[in-house]
Amino acid sequence: MIAILQFGGSNCDLDVKKALDKIDIDSKLVWYKDSLKGFDGVILPGGFSYGDYLRAGAIAANTPIMDDVKEIAKKGKPVLGICNGAQILCESGIVPGAYAPNISSRFQCERVKLRVENSNTPFTRYFDEGDIIDMPIAHAEGRYISEDKNIKPLFRYVDKNGEATEDSNPNGSIQNLAGILGEQNNIASMMPHPERATDTYLGSEDGIKLLRSMTASIN
Amino acid sequence: MTYKAVVSVYLKEGIMDPEAKTIERSLKRLGFDIDDLNRREEFSFDIDVEDREKARDEAEEMCQRLLANPTIHRYEISIE
């Protein structure tokens, strides 16, 4: 059973639920005042928790349920933060670094190409390293910054040839980083939305493949 | 004893602030001959603790835990 963690202002929670329903993975929406005990993994969905007050994710990162998220992570179960969920993981220190406002000053809402940088993770076991995949982004604060020398890349923004160029970087993230891993490979923080890439109607099924991969050892 | 604390949080040098750049361009368009515009966020509050040092320590902890993100921010604290 996967927990989909809801904060005031989460708004991709139902999309994540629908995506998991589609691949017959049991999941449950969990309000931040409840508990994550007994779950096999957790997804922190996108949205605008607490109106992005102070910094995106800063308020949610300081709620007590984040201790449960840390506990799940410590047990080696998958923890995935998507967009605002990724910002919350950063702000809580579960992954290193910070997400600053996009260098363009704009809310970037577009399809991007990502290169899989590590296939030895629960999220990417069905991909090969170097695979180029499609997913949408929709964020204003996605410029990943870190002074950590040991960042573990999961996805990079690339062009159609798979090159991490300046033009293919939609927000100014260092090293074109679109997704990173935590200290352990069972923790991932990513700005692109896998739950919005769940059908060829929507332009891509790569998100489903990621969610299938994440939940392969569960159920 | 109640102290007045003012905490100001700003981006570390070298981290581009697109909002500041936009404001700078706009001021230039209005004809002002300016450069290197920076922005800060200021928080002020009353704090009831035994002494000034304790007030500073608590404000420092607030910056570390919530008001600033140490990866991208610096901050200044003044206690009166």
Side-chain angles (χ1 to χ4, degrees):
Chain A
M1 180 72 79
I2 296 285
I4 302 164
L5 185 47
Q6 298 175 300
F7 296 97
S10 298
N11 67 11
C12 302
D13 40 354
L14 294 177
D15 306 68
V16 171
K17 177 101 182 73
K18 260 187 189 161
L20 291 175
D21 286 351
K22 188 174 170 163
I23 52 172
D24 295 324
I25 298 295
D26 291 334
S27 62
K28 196 176 165 206
L29 300 166
V30 178
W31 184 234
Y32 78 101
K33 288 186 177 170
D34 296 335
S35 151
L36 293 177
K37 294 220 169 13
F39 285 96
D40 303 304
V42 59
I43 295 179
L44 291 86
F48 294 88
S49 58
Y50 309 103
D52 280 352
Y53 286 178
L54 196 57
R55 293 177 303 281
I59 305 292
N62 287 288
T63 54
I65 201 161
M66 292 309 291
D67 291 336
D68 286 12
V69 174
K70 285 176 189 162
E71 202 54 41
I72 285 194
K74 215 191 296 170
K75 286 181 181 152
K77 296 173 179 176
V79 173
L80 174 64
I82 301 165
C83 198
N84 190 226
Q87 294 160 336
I88 295 168
L89 286 183
C90 255
E91 281 285 343
S92 65
I94 295 175
V95 296
Y99 289 100
N102 299 340
I103 216 114
S104 62
S105 269
R106 297 194 177 99
F107 187 92
Q108 302 281 152
C109 185
E110 61 205 53
R111 305 201 66 83
V112 293
K113 294 208 178 298
L114 306 173
R115 188 174 69 208
V116 178
E117 303 292 76
N118 186 341
S119 58
N120 188 25
T121 81
F123 314 97
T124 49
R125 69 181 110 205
Y126 291 164
F127 297 95
D128 289 321
E129 209 174 296
D131 276 358
I132 311 298
I133 62 175
D134 276 283
M135 263 179 226
I137 53 164
H139 59 248
E141 296 181 37
R143 177 172 38 133
Y144 183 71
I145 294 174
S146 176
E147 290 165 344
D148 195 319
K149 294 279 177 287
N150 304 311
I151 306 169
K152 293 167 70 181
L154 181 60
F155 298 114
R156 281 198 166 87
Y157 300 110
V158 294
D159 64 13
K160 61 182 187 327
N161 302 315
E163 299 296 327
T165 58
E166 204 178 318
D167 283 348
S168 60
N169 187 344
N171 50 33
S173 290
I174 57 161
Q175 301 171 34
N176 280 46
L177 285 165
I180 54 156
L181 293 164
E183 207 172 313
Q184 304 151 245
N185 286 9
N186 61 308
I187 309 162
S189 157
M190 62 188 289
M191 290 313 291
H193 286 270
E195 81 284 7
R196 297 186 193 178
T198 56
D199 202 298
T200 45
Y201 278 152
L202 302 170
S204 167
E205 282 187 319
D206 291 330
I208 276 289
K209 198 166 165 185
L210 183 150
L211 294 171
R212 231 185 220 129
S213 174
M214 170 182 172
T215 52
S217 57
I218 302 166
N219 274 30
Chain B
M1 175 91 189
T2 303
Y3 294 91
K4 278 223 171 289
V6 179
V7 173
S8 116
V9 178
Y10 52 99
L11 283 173
K12 283 180 182 172
E13 208 174 324
I15 295 184
M16 217 272 254
D17 180 353
E19 191 170 333
K21 287 284 162 223
T22 306
I23 296 165
E24 183 182 304
R25 273 200 308 275
S26 197
L27 283 171
K28 282 178 173 165
R29 254 196 313 270
L30 290 172
F32 295 103
D33 187 14
I34 58 148
D35 212 357
D36 197 26
L37 181 136
N38 289 286
R39 263 179 343 120
R40 289 183 169 211
E41 195 159 10
E42 190 174 281
F43 306 90
S44 59
F45 48 89
D46 296 338
I47 182 166
D48 197 13
V49 286
E50 53 268 35
D51 57 33
R52 184 182 287 263
E53 199 177 337
K54 179 78 180 152
R56 181 169 290 277
D57 287 352
E58 290 213 354
E60 171 86 29
E61 193 185 338
M62 289 178 206
C63 288
Q64 288 289 332
R65 294 180 61 183
L66 183 64
L67 295 180
N69 182 327
T71 304
I72 51 175
H73 291 129
R74 291 198 194 290
Y75 49 83
E76 282 166 14
I77 297 165
S78 84
I79 309 285
E80 300 214 346

